[in-house]
Amino acid sequence: MSQPRERIVILGGGPGGYEAALVAAQLGARVTVVDSDGLGGACVLTDCVPSKTLIATSTTMSVVHSAADLGIQVGRLAAGGAGPGRIGHRPASVDAPRLYARVKALAKAQSADVALRLAAEGVEIVEGRGRLDGPGAVLAGGQRIEAGCVLIATGALPRVLPGAEPDGERILTWRQLYDLPELPPALVVVGSGVTGAEFASAYQALGSQVTLVSSRERVLPHEDADAAVVVEDVFRRRGMTVLSRSRAAAVKRSGDGVLVTLEDGRAVRGSHCLLTVGMVPATHDLGLAEAGITLDGQGFVQVDRVSRTTAQGVYAAGDCTGVLMLASVAAMQGRIAMWHTLGEAVQPIRLDHVAASIFTDPEIATVGVTAAAVESGAVDATAVKLPLATNARAKMQGFRDGFVKLFARRGTGIVLGGVVVAPRASELILAVSLAVEQSLTVDQMAHTFAVYPSLSGSLTEAARRLMRPAGDEL
Ligand SMILES: Cc1cc2nc3c(=O)[nH]c(=O)nc-3n(C[C@H](O)[C@H](O)[C@H](O)COP(=O)(O)OP(=O)(O)OC[C@H]3O[C@@H](n4cnc5c(N)ncnc54)[C@H](O)[C@@H]3O)c2cc1C
């Protein structure tokens, strides 16, 4: 007689949930995904996919605006500066309703693809909100589903500042942007972390006049400092107003626009305000504490490196754990949970190997150890930074802002990490990521062929520089 199939219930259909479902189904489990807002989750429907779709348009606008430097006449593309969603006298302008319609349609199509993929693997979908009924059962869609394993992957929600409540018209979270009838003529972005910097960069390129309110000394305070300086410099040069050490105290509607009051009493006016002040976990009212699951002080589910919570048979993945709020990390946490619960060989998650990108223009991509860890002496490494301004391909493409940086362990020369600041840095970082994952040395990287001319040639050159016995110190 064959063994009964393991029953797994997954709460949440974002990358943490659906990637786990695919793995579990392939391993023969009977899988149910409960989701309240659409498969693909916030990642596909409101956050990652829509923002990167918007950025695909804003990046193209940047290319159009710099085309004259490359000998292209673009002035006739959009002679009229007026019309819905059109701002200012620029060589090209954006049709905002069409752009937003494209963003939403693409997100919907991606969600439908996820649904098809899950259906093809035989995963059962229950639409609606679910909650635990003890550690081994879920209440959803009017039924009680008992399971040997439950995965919590309910994601996170935009944090709201008291005194700056979004109204969906002028005071907005990023989830409300795509319902606007126009491009914001004067956008105040509150928060200069990854999300704030990406939207500030995108809207500036699309034609909005952007003011970025940053509570810290510089934008992107948690990222590589050299990279953040390059991006902030580009922002300012392109006409963005960056207010450093400026904390927003309140945001109110004022006439046809918004008034953002800073803690020091200054006021900033704009047509719209976008709030990007972090995320809170979607873990309330799920029956977690009653099931014996420990949350931290902010409400994130506590997990170990194989995604186990404190309750037997209950795992958690993705933004609801607050581990590293990235789709790739959510997906890996979910897969690891399934491999672990189904008895497969599993490697605990390695957060020091996560490759990540910030989709500003230029992009910042990172993997492995950070400059801060090297400079503080926590990691014994040498480093080299090569500006891309002298790279032939960069010159041909007409950009000067960017660099590649590599870190290698002192003595062995094993590549420990790197930073790339460039257009499409998110694609270039894979070479460094491979080196880090496979413990390649700078010698091995330096002996690898790069195409000439190419931006990746600067990566192999950086590796060559680190082959020197002492390495070039930063
Ligand atoms: C603007 C923005 C841009 C981003 N860009 C990137 C990027 O470029 N690259 C990257 O790697 N990451 C990016 N991220 C992060 C990425 O979106 C998240 O890390 C990812 O969505 C986390 O996936 P998840 O499965 O944990 O949750 P989610 O994607 O949030 O999915 C959770 C799902 O669970 C559902 N749910 C919640 N509660 C219940 C319940 N009780 N019952 C049933 N269903 C429930 C929700 O409705 C949702 O569908 C971005 C985030 C933001 C905000």
Side-chain angles (χ1 to χ4, degrees), residues 203-226:
Y203 274 96
Q204 183 73 24
L206 291 172
S208 301
Q209 178 56 53
V210 174
T211 303
L212 180 57
V213 178
S214 170
S215 61
R216 309 291 282 272
E217 182 67 38
R218 60 171 168 85
V219 303
L220 296 166
H222 306 297
E223 307 303 324
D224 182 271
D226 292 336

Side-chain angles (χ1 to χ4, degrees), residues 231-252:
V231 166
E232 185 168 334
D233 184 44
V234 171
F235 282 179
R236 289 184 193 275
R237 233 187 305 134
R238 290 184 183 163
M240 190 187 299
T241 304
V242 181
L243 301 176
S244 313
R245 278 178 284 156
S246 302
R247 195 175 283 275
V251 184
K252 295 279 174 262

